[in-house]
Amino acid sequence: MIIKHLLSRIGQMILVLFVLSTITFILMKLSPGDPVNKMLHLDVANVSHDKIVQARAQLGLNQPIIVQWWEWFTHMLRLDFGTSIQTQEPVLNELLFFAPPTLTIAFGTLLITLLLSLTLGTLAAVYYHTWIDRTIRVLTSAFVSIPSFFLGMLLIYFVAQKLELLPAAGIDTPAGYILPIIALSIGLSAYHIRLMRSTLIDLYRSREVKASRARGMSESYILFKDIFKPALIPVISIIGMSIGGLIGSTVVIENLFDIPGIGYFLVESIRSRDYPVVQGAVLMTGAFVVIGNAIADIIILFLDPTQRYKHLKPKSLWSRRREGRVKQ
């Protein structure tokens, strides 16, 4: 069942990436501006018409749109995303160079979000309607409404400039990742803390918990044996769905903290109309999103056994009779 689910997810990933790559290609062609202008600096230099035609032919821009798309798509299947117009380097090499900072920030944000969600959400549910629960609810209500870029600016001003505890820009040291991860994880964690809290409170009211209490089970046994694992399922599912928004926020945070990641590189490539880089970067970030969602689905399969068998069709009466399970 798990292998069948994995194959289904792989097929969905391929379809999503195909649609994403096609839409990105079309949008780049419809966007204003010409990469040849940026490549030859036509706004400040006098370039002959023949050189312009030669540059367009070199980039394949003189061919019909469908031919350009087919050329790009067939090369993409071989993981050949072309050559950057600005740097004249292979796009894949450029993306692999800028990917580690983005992945570090994204993974660190997801890890902090998961830890805060499970810890504070559980505390709020266990100490329901106490000062601990009220404090956590007030904090989450405040942080969920603060945009990550605004929180990032506050962190830069107070933590980096006033207190001089952490660097405000760059990743020359591992400490440079701390403020970006905090800026992204605070708002994302606030929503998931409330989700974990509400899920646990609902499970505390279930019949299974009442039965466990009737059998004399301790509250810690009920929490960690009966309801904690089911409470993880919606949290992990929503975290998987939040990866797309997280990647989008990473683009803003990388430019705010001057971190050379994919988001930073993507913004610079859009400004310079570097079509191959933009298409490759969008495709790579899309791959991160679908892979993250697939991992979340696989984790849910292990947490919830019913998910593994819900797609199985019940055997027909004729099949069961043949197996001797139903008497004639």
Side-chain angles (χ1 to χ4, degrees):
M1 176 60 190
I2 295 180
I3 296 178
K4 182 179 179 181
H5 181 79
L6 287 176
L7 293 176
S8 174
R9 292 295 301 177
I10 291 173
Q12 295 175 17
M13 289 168 56
I14 294 174
L15 179 60
V16 169
L17 292 178
F18 169 77
V19 174
L20 179 63
S21 63
T22 303
I23 293 176
T24 304
F25 181 87
I26 294 173
L27 291 178
M28 288 304 300
K29 294 301 179 183
L30 294 177
S31 62
D34 191 342
V36 174
N37 295 344
K38 295 289 184 178
M39 179 179 177
L40 300 179
H41 305 286
L42 297 182
D43 52 342
V44 295
N46 293 324
V47 181
S48 64
H49 178 73
D50 293 339
K51 194 169 184 179
I52 295 176
V53 173
Q54 182 182 358
R56 294 186 65 84
Q58 179 183 352
L59 298 176
L61 299 177
N62 58 338
Q63 298 177 342
I65 294 296
I66 188 63
V67 175
Q68 295 182 40
W69 174 84
W70 179 251
E71 288 289 333
W72 180 78
F73 180 72
T74 53
H75 283 79
M76 182 194 67
L77 294 179
R78 301 193 296 268
L79 296 181
D80 179 10
F81 298 105
T83 303
S84 172
I85 297 175
Q86 296 299 308
T87 64
Q88 298 301 312
E89 294 289 334
V91 173
L92 183 60
N93 293 345
E94 296 275 34
L95 294 177
L96 292 177
F97 174 80
F98 286 101
T102 300
L103 292 178
T104 302
I105 294 174
F107 180 78
T109 301
L110 291 176
L111 181 61
I112 297 299
T113 298
L114 189 60
L115 292 176
L116 290 177
S117 302
L118 300 185
T119 304
L120 298 182
T122 302
L123 282 175
V126 171
Y127 297 97
Y128 181 55
H129 273 336
T130 65
W131 68 271
I132 296 177
D133 179 31
R134 288 192 291 269
T135 302
I136 293 175
R137 279 189 294 165
V138 170
L139 291 176
T140 53
S141 298
F143 286 128
V144 78
S145 59
I146 300 178
S148 59
F149 71 89
F150 181 72
L151 182 59
M153 290 189 292
L154 293 179
L155 292 173
I156 290 175
Y157 180 75
F158 288 105
V159 179
Q161 296 183 355
K162 292 296 183 181
L163 301 177
E164 298 183 353
L165 297 177
L166 294 169
I171 50 173
D172 298 330
T173 62
Y177 288 103
I178 296 178
L179 291 184
I181 290 176
I182 292 176
L184 286 172
S185 59
I186 291 298
L188 189 62
S189 299
Y191 175 77
H192 294 89
I193 290 170
R194 303 186 70 166
L195 177 62
M196 184 69 179
R197 172 187 175 274
S198 61
T199 304
L200 282 174
I201 290 174
D202 290 340
L203 290 173
Y204 266 124
R205 298 168 180 168
S206 63
R207 295 180 179 178
E208 291 80 2
V209 171
K210 293 179 181 178
S212 295
R213 284 174 176 159
R215 295 197 303 270
M217 299 298 179
S218 64
E219 291 298 319
S220 60
Y221 178 90
I222 292 174
L223 174 62
F224 293 107
K225 295 293 183 179
D226 288 346
I227 64 175
F228 191 75
K229 185 185 289 186
L232 288 176
I233 296 174
V235 175
I236 292 178
S237 177
I238 298 300
I239 285 179
M241 296 174 62
S242 303
I243 294 178
L246 173 61
I247 296 296
S249 300
T250 305
V251 175
V252 179
I253 291 298
E254 287 178 355
N255 283 271
L256 179 63
F257 287 92
D258 197 23
I259 294 176
I262 290 181
Y264 183 89
F265 188 43
L266 177 61
V267 172
E268 293 298 321
S269 300
I270 292 175
R271 290 173 180 170
S272 60
R273 299 296 187 271
D274 200 338
Y275 290 168
V277 171
V278 174
Q279 292 165 181
V282 171
L283 190 62
M284 178 172 281
T285 54
F288 292 158
V289 173
V290 296
I291 291 173
N293 279 273
I295 293 174
D297 288 345
I298 293 171
I299 294 175
I300 291 174
L301 282 179
F302 285 98
L303 290 176
D304 187 6
T306 61
Q307 296 288 331
R308 300 176 219 164
Y309 306 104
K310 71 177 183 178
H311 298 297
L312 293 179
K313 295 181 180 179
K315 291 187 177 181
S316 64
L317 182 61
W318 174 255
S319 299
R320 286 182 287 165
R321 282 178 176 176
R322 291 186 61 183
E323 295 177 3
R325 298 182 180 177
V326 178
K327 294 183 179 180
Q328 297 289 339

